[in-house]
Amino acid sequence: MPFKFIFLFIWSLLLIQPEAKAQNPQETSCLVHLDKSFYVSGEVIWFKIYLPIETREKAFTLQVGIIGKNGAPISTFFLPTMGKTQVNGSFKIPFDVASGVYSLAFLALEKASKQPVILASVPVSIYNDLEKLNPAELKVSEPVATGPTLSQDLQIDIVLGKEQYHSRETVQASIQVKDRNGLPIKADLSIAVNDWALAGEAVFPANTLIQGNAVTSNALSDQLFIPVKLLGEAGSQSQNLISIFFPEDWQMLYTSPKQTELFVEMPPFTGQRNIQFLGHPNPDIEIQLLNPFKATANSTLLYTPGILKYLEWSRQRKKVYQLYSRVENQMNSATQIVGKTPLLPDRSLVMAEFEAFEDLATFAREISTALSFKLDRQTNRYQGRMYNPGTLTFYPSTPMFIVNGKVTRDADFVARLKISQIEKIDLYYQPEKLFANFKAIGRSGVVNIQTRTDLEIPAKEEADRFKISGLQEQIAFPMLDAKDSSIQKTQPYFRPQVYWNPSLETDATGKVNFTFLQPDDWSNFSIEVIAQGENGAMGRGIKKYTVVWK
C-alpha cells in the first residue's frame, strides 16, 4: 500500500511541473535593425545587429560588407562585439552609387576551421536621386506593407510629453519595457525616429527589422581577417612563411600557409591601413585578395508613388544644403594608427651632407657604411649585402629595403637609385634588433630609404601592396543641436532621419528617458524602439506624433 501512495505522489509532481518553454528562433538567431526601410545616395545607413545571448562574454569580430549586384563589396569594415550581444555601425552612401538593391552582410570567422560564417544578409534598397528616370520604362507599384514578423516577448510603452509638436521644438520621450507578465525588465534598445509620411509603410514596405541566421556554437575569431590566394609559383610550391608588413609602424605579422587559399588574421586596428605581403624564402610571392561575401542582391528595385515623391524632395533638400554651404550628414572620423613606432637606426645618412655621387651603388662604394653592392658581370645586376658587426662578416642574404614605406628585395633596383632622388638613408644591422623586430625576412639587415618624391618599387612587389579596412570608428548620429550657433534661425533644416540611438539601456525598472530636437519638417513622424532583454527576449514598439508650423 505505501508503494502505491509513493507512486501517486511522484506522478502528481510530474503533472504540476511547468511546461518547458520552446526557445524562440529569434532568441537563437541574429536580428538586424535598420534606422529606415530605404535610402538615397548621400544618406547614412545606421544599423544595429542583435546577437543571441549565447554569445555573451564571447568576444569576436564581425566583418560588415555592403554588397553590390555583382557580388563584390563596395565597402567593408569590422566591428568588435567585445562580448556583448549587440553591435552597431553605419555606412555613408556615396553620392555616385548606382540605384539598386544591395546587401548588408555580416560575417564571422571560425577560430579552429578558419571558415567564414554568414550571420546575416539584409537587402537594402538604395536610390540615386540624380539618376534620370524614364517614366515610360519605369514600373511604379503601390507598396504592399509586410512589416517585421517579430514575436512580441517584450512589451514596450513609449510616452511623449504631448501628441503634437512644433518645428525646432525639443521632443521629450520616455520608454518602459516589461516582459510578457507585465514585470519591468532591463533591456538594451535601439531607437529610430523618421518622417513617417515620407518613409513609412505607405511609401515603402516596412522592413527595418530583419532576421538573420543562427550563430554557430564554435568559437569565433576576435582578430581582423582577410581571405587571400597565393598565385603563380608561390601557390604551386611550398611557401614556408608569409609576412604582412605595416608601413606606418613597421609591424610585421607572420603566417605559415598550408594551402593556396586561406584567411590571414591580424590584430585589430581602427581605420584604413596599407599592407604589403612578403614571402620567405621565396620573395617572388603573388597575392590576390578574395571576396569573403557570397551574398548577392538580385531583387528588383521597387518604385512607388511615395518613392518618386521622396526622390524629388531629396533633390530639393540637397539644393538647400548647398545654398547654405552645409553638409547634411557630416561624418567626422579620423584614422587611428595603433602600434609601435619605427626603430631608431644604427646609422643615419643624410645625402645633403655628402658629395653628390651618381647612384647609391657608387655612394656605398665610396663612403664606408655597413651596406655594400657588388655588380654581377654575367647578369649585369647588382647584389646587396649588409655587414654583421656581431660576427665581423657579411649577412648571408639580401637586406630588406624599405623605400618610402614600400618593401623591396630587389638590390639592383635600389643600387641604381639616383642620389639626387634620395633624402635620407637609415641602416639597421645589429643582430639582436633585427631578429626581435623583423624575424626571418629582415634578419640580413634593413635599409630604410626616404626619397624626395614618391617612387614605385618593382611591379611584382608593388602588386602585393593593398589598402585594407580595420575596425570602424564609432560615430554618433549627427543630431540638430539648439546650441549650435552655426545654424541660423533663418536657415532651413530638413532631415528624414531625425534621431538614431543604438546604445540606450533601461534601468532596473525598465525605464529610460531621451530627448531630441525636431527639424523644420511639418509632417507625421514615428518612433520605433527595438528592445532585447537580458534573457534574449525581443520586442518592438511604435509611437507616432505630429509636427506643425510654429
Side-chain angles (χ1 to χ4, degrees):
M1 196 71 168
F3 292 104
K4 181 178 180 182
F5 283 111
I6 293 174
F7 174 78
L8 292 175
F9 175 72
I10 295 175
W11 179 251
S12 65
L13 289 177
L14 292 175
L15 288 177
I16 64 174
Q17 286 295 317
E19 182 181 356
K21 177 187 174 184
Q23 195 166 22
N24 191 329
Q26 291 171 167
E27 297 177 10
T28 60
S29 301
C30 301
L31 280 171
V32 179
H33 182 206
L34 302 177
D35 70 307
K36 58 197 293 275
S37 57
F38 67 93
Y39 300 88
V40 171
S41 54
E43 293 182 344
V44 180
I45 301 173
W46 302 91
F47 63 86
K48 181 174 182 176
I49 179 169
Y50 289 90
L51 304 168
I53 58 172
E54 288 78 13
T55 62
R56 185 176 292 146
E57 305 300 333
K58 298 178 181 179
F60 60 93
T61 306
L62 284 173
Q63 187 176 26
V64 183
I66 315 298
I67 316 302
K69 294 180 180 180
N70 57 358
I74 62 174
S75 178
T76 62
F77 51 87
F78 290 87
L79 295 172
T81 68
M82 296 184 290
K84 299 180 180 180
T85 58
Q86 64 281 148
V87 189
N88 64 86
S90 60
F91 172 67
K92 176 69 178 290
I93 303 172
F95 285 99
D96 61 350
V97 70
S99 298
V101 179
Y102 293 76
S103 288
L104 176 64
F106 300 84
L107 180 144
L109 185 70
E110 287 193 351
K111 260 187 180 180
S113 67
K114 305 300 180 188
Q115 292 299 311
V117 180
I118 295 290
L119 300 185
S121 183
V122 176
V124 179
S125 295
I126 299 177
Y127 300 85
N128 191 317
D129 54 359
L130 300 180
E131 291 181 352
K132 293 184 178 181
L133 301 176
N134 187 345
E137 299 178 357
L138 193 63
K139 184 179 180 181
V140 179
S141 306
E142 290 295 331
V144 179
T146 57
T149 57
L150 179 66
S151 176
Q152 290 295 105
D153 293 329
L154 298 180
Q155 304 173 31
I156 302 175
D157 295 323
I158 307 170
V159 179
L160 300 178
K162 51 186 180 179
E163 297 299 318
Q164 190 176 88
Y165 290 86
H166 295 110
S167 58
R168 303 242 182 158
E169 185 177 358
T170 298
V171 177
Q172 297 180 338
S174 62
I175 296 173
Q176 176 152 36
V177 181
K178 300 177 183 178
D179 62 15
R180 281 183 174 271
N181 299 319
L183 298 176
I185 184 173
K186 188 175 182 180
D188 290 291
L189 310 176
S190 52
I191 303 172
V193 181
N194 289 294
D195 188 327
W196 184 83
L198 275 175
E201 290 90 341
V203 175
F204 195 84
N207 57 344
T208 57
L209 191 64
I210 302 95
Q211 184 169 327
N213 303 322
V215 178
T216 175
S217 59
N218 299 332
L220 300 174
S221 174
D222 60 356
Q223 302 287 291
L224 306 186
F225 47 87
I226 52 175
V228 302
K229 182 177 183 179
L230 303 180
L231 304 175
E233 293 183 2
S236 60
Q237 300 176 2
S238 175
Q239 186 79 28
N240 293 339
L241 287 174
I242 290 179
S243 172
I244 302 177
F245 175 71
F246 294 84
E248 290 91 349
D249 57 8
W250 289 17
Q251 185 180 15
M252 295 190 73
L253 303 176
Y254 285 88
T255 183
S256 181
K258 305 298 183 185
Q259 51 199 20
T260 57
E261 293 187 12
L262 67 151
F263 275 86
V264 177
E265 296 180 89
M266 61 192 71
F269 61 85
T270 302
Q272 289 190 321
R273 297 186 68 176
N274 295 307
I275 63 170
Q276 183 176 351
F277 288 92
L278 310 171
H280 180 80
N282 177 14
D284 295 329
I285 187 173
E286 187 177 356
I287 294 288
Q288 177 186 354
L289 296 190
L290 300 178
N291 176 17
F293 297 98
K294 305 302 181 184
T296 57
N298 297 318
S299 303
T300 302
L301 191 62
L302 175 65
Y303 284 90
T304 68
I307 289 291
L308 297 179
K309 178 181 177 181
Y310 187 101
L311 294 176
E312 177 58 30
W313 181 87
S314 177
R315 287 188 286 268
Q316 298 299 324
R317 188 179 80 246
K318 288 176 179 176
K319 290 180 180 179
V320 170
Y321 278 93
Q322 290 175 355
L323 180 63
Y324 286 88
S325 301
R326 294 187 64 89
V327 178
E328 178 179 358
N329 295 294
Q330 185 67 45
M331 306 286 283
N332 296 319
S333 63
T335 301
Q336 178 185 359
I337 301 301
V338 180
K340 61 184 181 180
T341 55
L343 303 172
L344 293 176
D346 297 314
R347 186 179 180 185
S348 291
L349 303 166
V350 179
M351 295 298 101
E353 299 175 356
F354 296 90
E355 183 180 344
F357 296 100
E358 180 182 357
D359 52 33
L360 188 53
T362 307
F363 176 88
R365 184 174 65 246
E366 299 296 333
I367 304 298
S368 178
T369 70
L371 176 64
S372 66
F373 295 96
K374 182 179 179 181
L375 183 64
D376 186 324
R377 299 297 180 182
Q378 293 184 345
T379 62
N380 195 33
R381 291 181 60 83
Y382 282 100
Q383 298 175 348
R385 289 292 185 271
M386 187 80 85
Y387 187 72
N388 182 352
T391 61
L392 303 180
T393 59
F394 283 94
Y395 284 107
S397 58
T398 303
M400 171 180 165
F401 298 100
I402 306 175
V403 182
N404 301 329
K406 307 173 186 179
V407 175
T408 177
R409 280 169 286 179
D410 190 332
D412 185 74
F413 166 79
V414 174
R416 298 181 188 276
L417 289 177
K418 302 297 181 182
I419 292 297
S420 59
Q421 296 176 297
I422 301 175
E423 186 172 340
K424 184 182 178 183
I425 298 176
D426 293 328
L427 303 179
Y428 302 82
Y429 43 76
Q430 293 295 341
E432 298 82 5
K433 186 182 295 185
L434 294 174
F435 181 79
N437 293 277
F438 301 101
K439 299 296 188 293
I441 292 179
R443 66 181 180 180
S444 289
V446 174
V447 181
N448 182 36
I449 301 174
Q450 300 176 34
T451 64
R452 302 182 189 280
T453 58
D454 192 28
L455 296 177
E456 285 196 358
I457 58 176
K460 282 188 176 181
E461 294 166 313
E462 192 78 45
D464 292 327
R465 298 180 64 249
F466 303 92
K467 177 170 283 189
I468 61 172
S469 297
L471 299 177
Q472 182 182 65
E473 184 177 1
Q474 288 295 301
I475 302 174
F477 182 83
M479 293 189 298
L480 176 63
D481 187 355
K483 299 179 181 179
D484 188 353
S485 59
S486 66
I487 300 179
Q488 303 174 7
K489 292 183 178 180
T490 56
Q491 175 185 328
Y493 183 84
F494 302 111
R495 177 182 285 175
Q497 300 159 294
V498 179
Y499 179 80
W500 166 257
N501 191 335
S503 305
L504 213 57
E505 297 180 3
T506 66
D507 57 20
T509 66
K511 295 181 179 179
V512 68
N513 300 323
F514 66 97
T515 62
F516 57 89
L517 194 64
Q518 192 66 34
D520 290 332
D521 306 78
W522 318 329
S523 183
N524 297 319
F525 291 81
S526 67
I527 302 175
E528 180 186 47
V529 178
I530 304 298
Q532 182 188 52
E534 292 184 325
N535 61 351
M538 301 291 298
R540 176 177 182 257
I542 294 287
K543 179 70 175 180
K544 295 178 183 178
Y545 65 96
T546 304
V547 175
V548 296
W549 174 247
K550 189 172 182 178

